Amino acid sequence: MKHLKYAVSLLVVLSFAFMFVGCATPPDAEKAAAKAAADAAVAAGAEKYAANDFGAAKSLWDKAESLMNEKKYKEAKQVYIDAKAAFEKAKGAVEAGKKAVVDEVNAAVSSLEDSWKNLEANAKKVEKSLKDKKDEWSADAKTIEEGLKAVKDMIASDPIGAKTKTAELKALIEKWDAAIKELPVAPAKTEKPKKK
């Protein structure tokens, strides 16, 4: 009788153990939902325009994947839920991020246009001293003018590309600004007094 009691108790304990182990299934639905949210965030441009939020979401995704590999399904389920929310947050932050980049590029374009006007005026003052660099100056001047136009056209469709282009144009303008400052200024023409 004593052995029967132990056997029944052991069967009950083992039944509960198998029941809990049997219930621990991979959180496939949560993983799929998090993956869909990640794909939507990527499609919206979150990697570019909400990089911090997207990075945090990606870290959660990686953590959930690690938990899945360790067969810690309960923990992985919650982390997938958190990752889904984080990807949705990143997707929601895209418009604000894009607007910030557009504003930054617009300010950079305005500054570049002012710098370009000043550079052109300074180049005219040292035009004679530029004669050995005239071809290079002409080519770079054309690049700057076309680049400014291209940046303005890119702002709405590719703000990140426009930002990169403004950095290139700024470097080119700074190069010529430094070069022109090193050249001597031609003396101003003075009129001879007329004889009476």
Side-chain angles (χ1 to χ4, degrees), residues 25-105:
T25 59
D28 294 329
E30 290 77 12
K31 181 177 181 175
K35 176 76 170 110
D39 293 343
V42 168
E47 290 174 297
K48 291 191 248 181
Y49 301 109
N52 290 341
D53 289 335
F54 187 82
K58 181 80 172 80
S59 293
L60 286 170
W61 172 269
D62 293 342
K63 181 179 178 184
E65 289 289 283
S66 176
L67 290 168
M68 284 288 283
N69 290 336
E70 296 171 15
K71 300 197 184 315
K72 295 181 178 177
Y73 300 135
K74 182 178 178 185
E75 294 92 340
K77 178 180 180 177
Q78 184 57 51
V79 178
Y80 278 128
I81 292 168
D82 295 343
K84 177 183 180 269
F87 282 123
E88 288 170 348
K89 178 182 177 192
K91 181 183 175 197
V94 167
E95 286 306 312
K98 192 179 277 189
K99 183 184 180 323
V101 173
V102 167
D103 291 346
E104 183 180 343
V105 172

Side-chain angles (χ1 to χ4, degrees), residues 130-143 176:
L130 264 178
K131 63 184 168 190
D132 59 329
K133 295 183 180 187
K134 187 168 183 152
D135 291 339
E136 185 182 356
W137 164 254
S138 296
D140 285 348
K142 183 178 179 182
T143 299
W176 278 104

